[in-house]
Amino acid sequence: MTPEQPAPRKKIRIGDLLVRRGVITEEQLLHALSMQKKTGAKLGNTLMQLNLVTSQQFHEFLASQLDLPYIDLKHYNYQPDVVRLMPETAARRFRAIALALQNERMLVGLADPTDLHAYDELAKILKRPIDIAVVNEAELLKVLDIVYRRTQEIVSIAEELGEELSQGDSNLDQLLAEADVEDAPVVRLLRSLFEDAIQVGASDIHIEPDEKVLRIRQRIDGILHEQVMKEKRIAPALVSRLKLVCGLDISERRLPQDGRFNIRVKGKSIDIRLSTMPLQYGEAVVMRLLDQSGGILRLEQIGMPPELLDRFHKQLHRPNGLVLVTGPTGSGKTTTLYGALNELNQETKKIITVEDPVEYRLPRINQVQVHPKIGLDFARVLRAGLRQDPDIVMVGEMRDKETSDIALRAAMTGHLVLSTLHTNDSVSTALRLVEMGTEGYVVASSLRAVLAQRLVRRICTSCQKIDTLDAASRNWLESYAGRMKLPLTAAEYMTGGGCPSCNNTGYSGRIGIFELLEIDFELANALRNNDSAAFAELAQQQPGFRSLAENALILALNGVTSMEEVLRIGGQIDETTMAAQKAALNPAPAEPADTTL
């Protein structure tokens, strides 16, 4: 140890200190120690899992007892270049982060500052004196995932793969033949792509060949982020390798193909849904990433307000009828439906689902994957499923009149039917069913409730600041509040300034907003009479009904999301709702439009 380094901290018994300070009781400590022996987890994590202390309480107390600073990483403006001075393997192994470099001393945040081995090893690795601060382990891991991205690694492997391919066109076949080798460049490149996507929480990966470059884009919190690489020649190798993994025809490059495979990344089981599309400059690939290791979210976890959640629970536990979850692609409909199925999944109920594709496997539930190419479409599976004596039926999507007719009649004959529809709000959903050609009296007799939803981005807590609304935003807010008879408040709205924690976007994560329309006698009567105008007016006047835009405004007032997100949601709803209502009031005499998306 060099003379300028402070003496390492002595090992302490944090449990005894918590008891001495009155944070927990002796009995609670003994219970936590007993559980710790069974799980092998650290005592601090065990105490937090038992809700005896919060994460912030524990780390702040630990810091005060050790006379060390506590740094809240959510609000700390760390420098990625400084963080990367510590190798990623060391940072993850010792749960450590390099925070600042000053006068040749390194400030290091540690989740467990009593770990003497980590202190000594980090001093050797960094080759300089270190000072210790206490940080929250959960926040630390989030920062490490953001900073230690695979961007440079992806570029480096892409260059290596490009050099191999430049030696001759025949190398592609040889490369694919050797692709089972773990250190093959194409395998390492794909592994790095998946690891990077999982670290930043991407839901989709897009591989798109252009005329002179290859674009790799990741959808994070609903927004695409692009990485451009000059090695365009590697695109066929990536696409062919992915086709091989899915068992698709690698020689077919003229037609779209769909496939699926499973991988393990960072200890997580990830299900990949793959779709190829022939473009002008090659084949594009889009992969949807489904994390199977996290399990199915319960309805309580998806962000529904308690009052709305209670009303939705009542609809789910009715003996029969149709409950629809609606919204555009990527609005979280599948998550909500699986949460509902998870709640209804009991040994006394038989549940059959008709899906395209089956995204999550659920025990006890009979899940059927449709295959239109062999004639196994939604309508055919639904007809057969109703002969299997189900109590509950879930139809992945109502795509046409035939499917909707069968589902609605199943709801009339004693079944609870759950399904989705691509509409933009709850009011236009019932009108859409009528537009598809179903008689109004059938919809009125079967439809019980419609839950419309969207996902809005959360403001990053590390860089949130007061938002100064421009004139256009204020005009929209005043206009909307006037139409919806909402009282305007003088509250300050927040936005994100952009920081390393959120990749300078100002947002981190998403939250759902919902509106629930329950079909009562008056609404059902309007449907029976095909009175679309009365239906829309009555829906807005229904007690307890609150629109998507109103719920988004409430989140903005609470500082959860920004007015930018409210305007985005509100603008979409205004345009599509008016168009849907006009179409319902003036239906075309021709056959119903194809609603397949």
Side-chain angles (χ1 to χ4, degrees):
M1 183 184 300
T2 55
E4 63 270 23
Q5 283 183 296
R9 310 284 168 179
K10 294 181 179 180
K11 193 74 174 176
I12 62 170
R13 292 170 59 89
I14 189 65
D16 293 335
L17 290 174
L18 288 168
V19 172
R20 196 180 307 161
R21 289 286 298 273
V23 179
I24 60 174
T25 65
E26 185 74 36
E27 291 76 15
Q28 288 173 330
L29 174 61
L30 292 174
H31 176 53
L33 289 171
S34 174
M35 180 171 286
Q36 181 194 17
K37 289 179 181 178
K38 296 177 183 177
T39 63
K42 292 181 180 180
L43 179 60
N45 291 335
T46 303
L47 290 169
M48 286 181 272
Q49 288 174 2
L50 293 171
N51 294 321
L52 298 176
V53 295
T54 66
S55 178
Q56 186 164 345
Q57 273 182 327
F58 177 79
H59 288 97
E60 286 181 348
F61 175 78
L62 183 60
S64 66
Q65 290 300 316
L66 295 174
D67 194 25
L68 291 173
Y70 170 73
I71 293 179
D72 185 354
L73 292 176
K74 289 189 292 186
H75 303 288
Y76 185 81
N77 190 20
Y78 60 85
Q79 301 172 27
D81 291 341
V82 173
V83 176
R84 283 192 286 265
L85 292 174
M86 182 185 296
E88 181 183 2
T89 52
R92 294 190 182 277
R93 178 185 174 191
F94 298 116
R95 296 295 191 261
I97 181 172
L99 294 172
L101 179 61
Q102 189 173 14
N103 299 326
E104 291 304 313
R105 299 185 70 86
M106 179 74 77
L107 176 63
V108 175
L110 278 173
D112 182 7
T114 65
D115 188 343
L116 304 182
H117 177 65
Y119 181 92
D120 293 335
E121 289 297 314
L122 290 172
K124 293 177 186 176
I125 292 169
L126 295 170
K127 298 178 181 178
R128 53 172 52 93
I130 63 174
D131 297 316
I132 300 299
V134 181
V135 295
N136 184 317
E137 183 173 357
E139 295 299 329
L140 166 68
L141 294 175
K142 290 180 183 177
V143 173
L144 296 184
D145 282 344
I146 292 169
V147 174
Y148 292 108
R149 292 197 60 182
R150 299 292 189 268
T151 308
Q152 294 302 318
E153 180 180 309
I154 290 169
V155 172
S156 176
I157 300 174
E159 291 175 350
E160 179 185 344
L161 180 58
E163 289 176 4
E164 287 200 16
L165 291 171
S166 65
Q167 297 173 11
D169 293 336
S170 61
N171 276 8
L172 177 58
D173 294 333
Q174 180 183 352
L175 196 67
L176 293 174
E178 297 173 353
D180 288 330
V181 182
E182 281 296 309
D183 60 355
V186 66
V187 175
R188 287 190 288 118
L189 178 55
L190 288 171
R191 187 191 309 126
S192 295
L193 280 174
F194 288 127
E195 288 179 354
D196 185 58
I198 295 304
Q199 283 189 192
V200 297
S203 60
D204 302 83
I205 301 175
H206 296 232
I207 300 175
E208 302 170 346
D210 211 332
E211 182 178 7
K212 296 180 180 179
V213 297
L214 174 64
R215 302 181 191 277
I216 295 180
R217 302 199 279 177
Q218 298 176 339
R219 191 175 294 280
I220 305 169
D221 294 337
I223 304 298
L224 286 172
H225 298 259
E226 185 174 88
Q227 181 178 2
V228 179
M229 293 188 290
K230 60 182 179 181
E231 290 79 17
K232 187 210 165 193
R233 66 170 64 243
I234 71 174
L238 291 176
V239 176
S240 296
R241 175 57 184 167
L242 289 167
K243 284 183 178 180
L244 280 173
V245 175
C246 292
L248 301 179
D249 184 359
I250 64 172
S251 64
E252 179 56 78
R253 299 184 176 93
R254 301 165 300 169
L255 297 174
Q257 296 187 70
D258 296 318
R260 185 172 190 159
F261 62 98
N262 186 273
I263 58 172
R264 290 196 66 81
V265 180
K266 293 185 171 294
K268 295 181 176 181
S269 175
I270 308 297
D271 208 28
I272 311 290
R273 282 168 40 195
L274 178 143
S275 173
T276 70
M277 176 70 71
L279 302 180
Q280 184 178 5
Y281 299 109
E283 283 184 282
V285 172
V286 175
M287 292 177 282
R288 169 67 55 88
L289 279 57
L290 302 169
D291 187 353
Q292 302 282 350
S293 59
I296 306 298
L297 289 178
R298 300 193 308 273
L299 287 175
E300 291 79 6
Q301 297 174 298
I302 65 175
M304 276 192 201
E307 180 271 335
L308 189 147
L309 181 60
D310 288 342
R311 291 164 54 205
F312 189 54
H313 273 149
K314 291 176 182 176
Q315 295 296 336
L316 290 178
H317 290 282
R318 296 181 71 162
N320 58 64
L322 172 64
V323 177
L324 287 174
V325 180
T326 73
T329 302
S331 59
K333 299 187 300 295
T334 301
T335 300
T336 300
L337 271 184
Y338 274 104
L341 288 175
N342 200 33
E343 179 174 317
L344 295 168
N345 189 6
Q346 301 171 4
E347 59 186 27
T348 58
K349 301 287 185 183
K350 172 145 186 178
I351 303 176
I352 294 178
T353 72
V354 189
E355 305 175 62
D356 183 22
V358 175
E359 295 195 4
Y360 295 94
R361 280 79 171 180
L362 295 171
R364 198 187 290 118
I365 292 180
N366 296 258
Q367 297 174 271
V368 183
Q369 165 81 54
V370 302
H371 291 284
K373 291 181 179 178
I374 61 172
L376 196 65
D377 56 17
F378 275 99
R380 184 170 183 177
V381 176
L382 189 51
R383 282 197 208 93
L386 292 174
R387 294 193 289 269
Q388 293 286 309
D389 188 30
D391 298 289
I392 300 167
V393 177
M394 193 272 273
V395 184
E397 184 183 343
M398 293 176 115
R399 295 183 175 179
D400 51 46
K401 181 180 182 297
E402 185 180 13
T403 304
S404 63
D405 281 349
I406 298 170
L408 285 162
R409 294 188 185 281
M412 292 174 64
T413 55
H415 303 88
L416 177 65
V417 181
L418 309 178
S419 189
T420 70
L421 202 61
H422 283 277
T423 54
N424 287 281
D425 62 11
S426 59
V427 177
S428 62
T429 300
L431 307 180
R432 173 67 64 85
L433 290 174
V434 175
E435 283 179 42
M436 290 168 67
T438 305
E439 295 293 339
Y441 73 89
V442 176
V443 178
S445 301
S446 305
L447 187 61
R448 297 288 180 262
V450 182
L451 179 76
Q453 64 182 73
R454 291 287 194 291
L455 293 174
V456 295
R457 292 180 291 173
R458 290 177 180 267
I459 297 172
C460 174
T461 56
S462 300
C463 59
Q464 64 180 4
K465 62 179 184 178
I466 295 174
D467 188 12
T468 304
L469 299 184
D470 57 27
S473 299
R474 290 198 176 278
N475 288 338
W476 180 89
L477 183 57
E478 291 173 1
S479 172
Y480 184 82
R483 281 185 285 121
M484 296 295 140
K485 299 179 181 179
L486 294 173
L488 274 178
T489 66
E492 292 179 331
Y493 298 96
M494 307 299 291
T495 189
C499 68
S501 294
C502 59
N503 289 318
N504 294 311
T505 63
Y507 298 96
S508 179
R510 291 188 290 177
I511 185 172
I513 56 170
F514 307 88
E515 70 176 32
L516 179 62
L517 179 65
E518 297 171 282
I519 307 301
D520 56 20
F521 176 79
E522 290 182 335
L523 288 171
N525 205 38
L527 286 173
R528 286 189 189 94
N529 297 327
N530 291 321
D531 192 343
S532 302
F535 181 86
E537 185 177 351
L538 288 168
Q540 297 289 346
Q541 297 171 358
Q542 189 180 67
F545 178 81
R546 184 178 286 155
S547 70
L548 287 167
E550 287 179 75
N551 285 310
L553 267 174
I554 290 171
L555 290 180
L557 286 167
N558 293 328
V560 176
T561 192
S562 68
M563 275 302 299
E564 176 188 19
E565 288 291 278
V566 176
L567 291 167
R568 179 174 65 85
I569 295 297
Q572 290 175 353
I573 294 167
D574 282 351
E575 293 173 7
T576 53
T577 301
M578 286 189 289
Q581 290 177 0
K582 285 179 182 177
L585 290 169
N586 302 288
E591 286 190 13
D594 182 10
T595 58
T596 304
L597 296 181

